[in-house]
Amino acid sequence: RYLTFFHALNTKVFNVGSYQKSRSTSDMNKAFSIYSFSDPEAQKTRQSCYEQAIADLKSFLQAHLSLQSGPTCAILDGSCITRKRRQWVKEQLNDIAITRILFVECDVSDETEINNNVLAICENMKLLKNRSPSKVLEEFHANSRGMLEAYQPLSDFEDCTWIKLSDSHRVEVNRPVHDITMPLILFLMNVHNQPHVFYLSRHGQSLYNMEAKIGGDSDLTANGDLYAKKLAVFAQQVITRDDDNGQLVPTRLWTST
């Protein structure tokens, strides 16, 4: 949505997990076993899903190139955790003209954050029915050990542009290029991976509001002054407080000039 709205890019996401989901099952352990690196059948299924996703991605890019419909961005959302997999992706896109590849790696070491993400994904895939979160996490971690053992982090000797986000506070960029990838790099450098609440408010009612005038810098009406005072109380009691313990939390305020 960011790339489409702010940069007018024809953008589409191809999530390998959605291809896996169509082949998977409601059985949680079997759903997670597809990530196993020791099970030949799981590897075969995973490769097939990647091939389907990359084929659809290429069709999307080629269609927009043939129509000359402007800059286009296709996102392959999958676990390209090995150099062999990343090289395979690059080779698959060699035959598409004017293609720039950007690899994005998110490295999270905080176990609580990992568990929260796993449960959120499982809930979205409707895999939590009649199962305790602790059991879900136990099965996930049991089946993901192979991925951790096979994982090869992005490195500067890989001949590609990449960005690595580590624990939401460290960012590394390799071989940045000032083209279509730069807006995405800048966006990722400032993104938060946890939900944040935004409160939007206009100023209190002004004298010009009462007269249907636009612009200017008139005084507030009595109602506008009352609104400003109540907004201050709301900010002090709600916006700047943690919902769970009521403690003060860091808060930013933006105002127009």
Side-chain angles (χ1 to χ4, degrees):
R1 287 181 292 180
Y2 167 80
L3 293 173
T4 300
F5 184 83
F6 288 101
H7 296 282
L9 297 180
N10 303 302
T11 308
K12 187 173 181 179
V13 178
F14 298 86
N15 187 300
V16 177
S18 65
Y19 294 84
Q20 293 172 340
K21 181 182 176 183
S22 65
R23 292 167 172 243
S24 191
T25 171
S26 59
D27 184 282
M28 179 67 68
N29 195 51
K30 290 183 179 180
F32 283 144
S33 67
I34 196 172
Y35 298 105
S36 171
F37 274 68
S38 59
D39 183 352
E41 189 62 31
Q43 294 184 48
K44 181 179 177 181
T45 300
R46 190 166 57 249
Q47 177 62 24
S48 178
C49 292
Y50 268 101
E51 290 173 356
Q52 289 184 49
I54 205 77
D56 290 344
L57 182 150
K58 290 174 67 174
S59 296
F60 170 76
L61 290 176
Q62 290 166 337
H64 281 283
L65 283 172
S66 63
L67 295 173
Q68 296 184 340
S69 55
T72 302
C73 177
I75 300 173
L76 179 66
D77 185 1
S79 302
C80 295
I81 62 172
T82 65
R83 298 186 186 98
K84 182 179 179 180
R85 171 67 68 194
R86 294 191 286 270
Q87 183 60 34
W88 177 83
V89 170
K90 290 192 291 183
E91 291 171 354
Q92 295 300 306
L93 297 175
N94 277 341
D95 57 344
I96 300 182
I98 325 175
T99 300
R100 174 72 66 181
I101 299 176
L102 169 68
F103 286 103
V104 180
E105 179 177 300
C106 298
D107 181 16
V108 181
S109 60
D110 184 278
E111 188 171 346
T112 299
E113 189 171 332
I114 293 173
N115 291 342
N116 289 338
N117 287 338
V118 170
L119 292 176
I121 292 171
C122 290
E123 183 176 4
N124 185 55
M125 296 178 66
K126 303 186 185 307
L127 294 174
L128 290 180
K129 187 176 181 180
N130 300 323
R131 301 187 66 85
S132 68
S134 60
K135 186 64 176 177
V136 170
L137 294 173
E138 178 184 339
E139 292 172 352
F140 168 78
H141 289 294
N143 284 286
S144 64
R145 291 192 186 100
M147 291 184 67
L148 293 175
E149 293 173 358
Y151 166 59
Q152 295 172 314
L154 287 163
S155 57
D156 54 11
F157 63 80
E158 291 190 61
D159 185 21
C160 61
T161 301
W162 55 254
I163 179 171
K164 183 187 296 187
L165 312 172
S166 302
D167 290 323
S168 306
H169 62 264
R170 178 180 173 84
V171 178
E172 296 177 74
V173 181
N174 184 65
R175 302 189 183 186
V177 181
H178 289 278
D179 60 4
I180 195 174
T181 61
M182 188 54 67
L184 185 54
I185 289 175
L186 295 175
F187 172 73
L188 291 170
M189 290 176 66
N190 293 279
V191 75
H192 294 281
N193 62 352
Q194 295 294 327
H196 284 65
V197 178
F198 285 80
Y199 293 90
L200 305 179
S201 174
R202 291 196 64 194
H203 57 70
Q205 184 186 61
S206 70
L207 294 174
Y208 278 8
N209 290 151
M210 292 289 291
E211 299 172 7
K213 293 181 179 179
I214 298 177
D217 188 22
S218 67
D219 291 334
L220 298 178
T221 65
N223 284 336
D225 188 61
L226 179 62
Y227 174 82
K229 293 176 179 177
K230 287 185 175 293
L231 180 61
V233 173
F234 179 79
Q236 185 179 44
Q237 296 180 350
V238 178
I239 297 177
T240 60
R241 299 285 174 175
D242 185 279
D243 290 338
D244 296 325
N245 56 35
Q247 298 297 312
L248 286 172
V249 294
T251 307
R252 291 192 179 122
L253 171 68
W254 286 275
T255 66
S256 59
T257 57

